[in-house]
Amino acid sequence: MDQNRDGFIDKEDLKDTYASLGKINVKDDELDAMLKEATGPINFTMFLNLFGEKLNGTDTEETILNAFRMLDSDAKGTIHKDYIKLLLMSQTDKMTAEEIDQLFQFASIDAAGNLDYKALSYIITHGEEKEE
C-alpha cells in the first residue's frame, strides 16, 4: 500500500489501493477528505482504521453470499476449506497461505473441514458473529 515505502500513506497510495480493489473512479475530493480525517500523518495502523470505514458496505451480504453460492453446487451452505484455499491461492489476486489462515480464524469450520459461508458472509459485512 505504501508505494513509495516512506512509512506513510499519501493520496497516491490511497488511489492505488482503491484501484487494486476495483474502485478506479475515486474522486480527489473523497481522497482529500479521507486524508483530513486523520489526526496526523497516516501510518499503517491509522490507514487500516480509515480505509476500513470507507469500504464498509462495499459489497452487501447478499452479494457475498451469491458469490459463495456459485461454488456450492449442492446448495448445502458450506464449502470445503481446502477448495476455498485452492481458489484463493490460484486465482487473480492470489492470497498467501498466511492470509487464508487469518481468514479461517473468523470462519465457522466443522470437523469435516466444511466452511459455513453464510456465517462468514455475515462476519465480513457486519464484523462479528450473529447471536443466535
Side-chain angles (χ1 to χ4, degrees):
M1 287 180 241
D2 181 15
Q3 298 298 317
N4 62 5
R5 308 266 185 229
D6 66 354
F8 297 96
I9 309 297
D10 61 21
K11 190 175 186 175
E12 288 305 312
D13 294 326
L14 290 176
K15 204 178 277 191
D16 291 342
T17 302
Y18 268 114
S20 73
L21 295 170
K23 189 171 181 182
I24 55 175
N25 295 325
V26 182
K27 297 178 182 165
D28 281 344
D29 293 348
E30 185 178 350
L31 296 173
D32 289 336
M34 189 173 180
L35 290 169
K36 287 178 186 173
E37 289 177 32
T39 56
I42 301 176
N43 61 18
F44 187 67
T45 303
M46 185 174 293
F47 170 78
L48 289 178
N49 290 329
L50 295 170
F51 198 67
E53 291 172 11
K54 297 300 174 193
L55 285 180
N56 188 19
T58 299
D59 286 322
T60 64
E61 185 175 358
E62 190 62 28
T63 300
I64 295 169
L65 278 171
N66 285 337
F68 279 122
R69 285 180 185 129
M70 291 178 63
L71 305 173
D72 181 14
S73 58
D74 298 329
K76 296 182 296 185
T78 62
I79 302 170
H80 199 276
K81 69 177 187 161
D82 292 341
Y83 181 55
I84 294 284
K85 187 173 187 172
L86 173 71
L87 291 174
L88 293 174
M89 292 181 74
S90 64
Q91 305 298 312
T92 58
D93 290 335
K94 297 176 181 136
M95 293 178 74
T96 66
E98 182 179 292
E99 290 169 326
I100 293 168
D101 289 342
Q102 289 174 355
L103 172 69
F104 286 167
Q105 289 178 2
F106 298 100
S108 175
I109 300 173
D110 68 16
N114 295 310
L115 180 143
D116 178 348
Y117 63 80
K118 291 176 185 176
L120 182 60
S121 297
Y122 185 89
I123 292 168
I124 290 170
T125 56
H126 299 283
E128 56 188 53
E129 276 191 82
K130 187 186 289 188
E131 292 183 22
E132 302 282 329

